[in-house]
Amino acid sequence: MMEVVFSDSAAGSLKCALGRKGVTESHVIGIIGGDGLTKAEQRARIQQAREQERRAWEQAVPLEGSPGDVLCFPLYESVGDISGEDIGPQREQVLKELLGTCPEGAEAAQAMAETGRQSLRRLMERAALGEPFRVWASGSPDEACGLCWLLEQLRPLGLESLSCTCVPLPPCREWEAGTLTAYQSWAEAEPHQWGRLAGEGRKLSPAWARMLQNRWRELQEENAPLRAVVNGRLVSVPEEFYDPFIAREIAVQGREFQEAVVVGRVLGRYRLGIGDGWVARRIEAFIQAGLLEAVTQPEKDEPGYHRILRKVVGERPTPCKPFFKWA
């Protein structure tokens, strides 16, 4: 069975789950921000994490399959122009713009687009022969868009001939140990969780698949700058859609602040299903609008948002003005 995911992180985690045979040695574990700990305390915490991972794998449901069957489409279809029918220069340009804050963003964008092209070729060839496939798609914008986009690509094969299982991701899951995990996308699922969550999968009926295909065509006709999931429905929205959340986090900062802190707070606090690239892109729009100005510049090998910004105080027309309290 082919396994379809929509991010490199999800692909890596799923490959690990498929390649795991029983309980073996844990993966490399490190400590971030452990400067205040003694060497003994660090060793104790690492040992505790290894023991937790070992117990998790003992309780895990095996997931049959091969890591080589994982097909990844890291295309961020919730962002940018989607009028094109293939993974061409148009989609690659959107990826470059999203990854523009990274030092090697252009190369990464090319690699992601090529990964998508190769995965689509393999899926089309094998699905045409009747091989079943499983799509892991959550309610995050990129994965919701990815599912609709993928089914539209498969239209030439005929819906009745497809053997597709769709695995949704629950917003949260309580495990036997009494722990509760909240999910935003499949990129957050740990390798030992995939087998248990696979039980949520349901066969995708032709009627349901047709509805998703048609929804993608509607979104293509609208071709908005952005797509979001609102009340469970995938809709076209303006590029300013997430600005109030970003502006709210800027408003609580001092006159000068680290842009990376705002990016992290937006991603962590609101869990909107967007990436750091989009948040940084909108903050850059605030700078171009005269709401902020750069005080420092990032080092050559650092992301573009590793800099200090300053609020520009003064009266000026802005969108979402109640949130721009420094203006």
Side-chain angles (χ1 to χ4, degrees):
M1 176 183 287
M2 295 174 287
E3 309 284 356
V4 175
V5 293
F6 298 102
S7 73
D8 289 327
S9 295
S13 181
L14 179 53
K15 286 179 180 179
C16 182
L18 290 168
R20 193 84 175 208
K21 305 298 181 183
V23 180
T24 59
E25 289 297 319
S26 64
H27 299 91
V28 175
I29 296 174
I31 295 178
I32 298 175
D35 294 342
L37 301 176
T38 65
K39 293 290 186 180
E41 290 172 331
Q42 291 182 19
R43 287 194 296 269
R45 293 199 179 186
I46 291 174
Q47 184 59 38
Q48 181 183 22
R50 285 176 174 163
E51 178 61 20
Q52 289 175 344
E53 184 181 8
R54 187 191 65 79
R55 289 199 300 268
W57 277 109
E58 282 183 344
Q59 299 169 4
V61 174
L63 186 63
E64 298 299 324
S66 167
D69 289 328
V70 175
L71 305 178
C72 183
F73 297 90
L75 302 175
Y76 295 91
E77 294 285 358
S78 72
V79 175
D81 191 336
I82 56 170
S83 59
E85 296 297 334
D86 58 4
I87 311 171
Q90 184 186 79
R91 179 52 25 188
E92 194 169 315
Q93 181 58 35
V94 172
L95 294 175
K96 288 179 180 178
E97 292 173 1
L98 269 180
L99 300 176
T101 60
C102 302
E104 299 179 354
E107 293 81 357
Q110 292 174 350
M112 292 164 71
E114 184 57 30
T115 294
R117 295 185 193 108
Q118 293 179 6
S119 295
L120 185 58
R121 284 195 293 268
R122 292 174 59 195
L123 180 62
M124 294 287 286
E125 291 170 358
R126 295 167 65 174
L129 298 175
E131 184 173 347
F133 60 97
R134 182 162 45 191
V135 182
W136 305 78
S138 70
S140 73
D142 284 327
E143 292 183 354
C145 283
L147 175 60
C148 295
W149 169 85
L150 183 70
L151 291 170
E152 177 61 19
Q153 307 312 301
L154 296 172
R155 185 185 289 269
L157 300 182
L159 294 176
E160 286 71 18
S161 66
L162 297 179
S163 178
C164 175
T165 298
C166 186
V167 188
L169 184 65
C172 60
R173 178 71 182 263
E174 185 171 3
W175 305 94
E176 287 80 356
T179 58
L180 190 69
T181 304
Y183 297 103
Q184 180 179 343
S185 71
W186 280 105
E188 297 181 343
E190 295 184 63
H192 61 79
Q193 296 171 340
W194 289 80
R196 188 69 54 86
L197 293 170
E200 306 284 339
R202 297 293 181 271
K203 188 72 176 292
L204 195 66
S205 69
W208 188 256
R210 188 172 297 107
M211 185 273 291
L212 295 175
Q213 286 178 335
N214 293 337
R215 184 61 189 137
W216 185 250
R217 287 194 168 187
E218 294 170 353
L219 293 169
Q220 281 186 301
E221 291 178 2
E222 296 165 352
N223 201 23
L226 196 65
R227 285 150 291 283
V229 177
V230 180
N231 291 333
R233 179 170 172 78
L234 189 58
V235 297
S236 298
V237 296
E239 62 182 351
E240 301 88 2
F241 185 73
Y242 297 113
D243 284 7
F245 302 98
I246 302 171
R248 187 179 299 157
E249 292 307 316
I250 294 176
V252 300
Q253 303 296 316
R255 177 76 186 281
E256 293 186 358
F257 61 94
Q258 295 183 27
E259 184 178 358
V261 170
V262 171
V263 172
R265 285 173 65 95
V266 171
L267 298 180
R269 173 170 291 186
Y270 302 107
R271 300 178 61 81
L272 301 170
I274 56 177
D276 59 346
W278 182 261
V279 179
R281 180 174 171 176
R282 293 309 304 158
I283 293 177
E284 185 62 33
F286 295 172
I287 294 174
Q288 297 303 316
L291 295 166
L292 303 169
E293 59 185 5
V295 177
T296 65
Q297 295 300 321
E299 297 294 333
K300 185 176 180 180
D301 58 345
E302 292 181 335
Y305 52 78
H306 280 202
R307 58 183 175 176
I308 294 176
L309 301 181
R310 179 189 295 125
K311 300 174 185 177
V312 176
V313 179
E315 192 66 26
R316 62 191 70 246
T318 64
C320 309
K321 186 159 185 177
F323 295 100
F324 290 84
K325 295 181 181 178
W326 69 90

